[in-house]
Amino acid sequence: MQTKCTWNPRYYDMIRRNFHIRAAARLSDMLRNARVRYERKRTRPHWIGEPLMAQLVDYWASADFKEKSEKAKKNRASEKGGCIHTGGCISNAEHAR
């Protein structure tokens, strides 16, 4: 494998952590879009195989997922404490693209 960029080895852990945080956020967005697409059109993205999609559909229908989803929805809607992130008139999805 050919290396396309280099950095000082002392920054390796920080760069790796940053990569994983960003990759996790992107994967989360992609799976959310896959779930919404499946709910609306009953189609799966080309990058998710049929056996895995069946497992995801089962998980999304589970009580555990629905409970976590409701809890997260309430937390996002809450204006108590914390801070509300805004990116101006452009949505977070637009910023990600």
Side-chain angles (χ1 to χ4, degrees), residues 22-81:
R22 291 174 185 269
R26 176 60 79 203
L27 180 59
S28 179
D29 287 343
M30 291 170 69
L31 287 172
R32 182 192 172 281
N33 290 338
R35 181 174 51 84
V36 169
R37 178 180 177 179
Y38 182 80
E39 288 173 354
R40 291 183 183 159
K41 299 180 181 179
R42 297 289 187 227
T43 59
R44 67 174 175 82
H46 70 279
W47 55 272
I48 299 179
E50 289 182 31
L52 181 57
M53 190 67 183
Q55 290 178 349
L56 286 171
V57 169
D58 290 343
Y59 175 68
W60 293 331
S62 72
D64 184 42
F65 175 79
K66 290 183 180 185
E67 182 181 314
K68 287 179 185 178
S69 178
E70 278 302 312
K71 185 176 180 181
K73 190 184 296 183
K74 287 178 185 174
N75 287 341
R76 285 190 305 271
S78 173
E79 293 184 16
K80 179 182 176 185

